[in-house]
Amino acid sequence: MRKHFTDSDLSLKSLSVRFGYNEKYLSKLFYRFTGNHFGDYLTNLRINAACGMIQEGNTVVKQIAFACGFSDALYFSKVFKAKMHCSPSAFITERNGANT
């Protein structure tokens, strides 16, 4: 997952088809080995990557969203705000203020 999390088509369903497992079984297996639900794990990978991109100086929210595997910039903003407790734009502004 760490290698392919930027693929916007990555899902539990696509993995279950690829590996020939029942989706529910794969979900339980994933949780057993990681302690996280698949969707939460994937979201965390994507949001952490977005934060890294912002810290590297990327400032275009739409580009960051697509580069991190989100197919919708508005959804990315909603998820980012839920996880980081601020919007991507506010996070960018905060980071830019800290770097100047």
Side-chain angles (χ1 to χ4, degrees):
M1 279 187 65
R2 289 185 184 130
K3 192 174 184 180
H4 299 284
F5 73 91
T6 59
D7 179 357
S8 63
D9 293 326
L10 181 63
S11 67
L12 188 59
K13 185 174 184 167
S14 68
L15 289 179
S16 68
V17 169
R18 180 177 179 164
F19 295 114
Y21 288 106
N22 175 285
E23 198 172 331
K24 270 189 170 180
Y25 175 74
L26 188 58
S27 176
K28 288 179 183 181
L29 196 62
F30 188 88
Y31 186 82
R32 186 180 326 149
F33 283 99
T34 66
N36 295 293
H37 295 284
F38 178 85
D40 294 338
Y41 188 85
L42 180 58
T43 297
N44 286 335
L45 284 174
R46 289 176 172 170
I47 295 301
N48 287 338
C51 290
M53 289 181 71
I54 291 168
Q55 290 174 339
E56 290 172 1
N58 293 298
T59 60
V60 181
V61 173
K62 190 173 185 176
Q63 289 176 352
I64 294 167
F66 293 146
C68 293
F70 289 91
S71 57
D72 181 327
L74 291 175
Y75 179 69
F76 163 71
S77 293
K78 180 180 176 179
V79 171
F80 190 96
K81 187 170 186 174
K83 292 284 185 187
M84 302 303 295
H85 308 290
C86 69
S87 69
S89 299
F91 192 81
I92 290 167
T93 301
E94 180 182 307
R95 291 290 156 225
N96 285 342
N99 292 332
T100 57

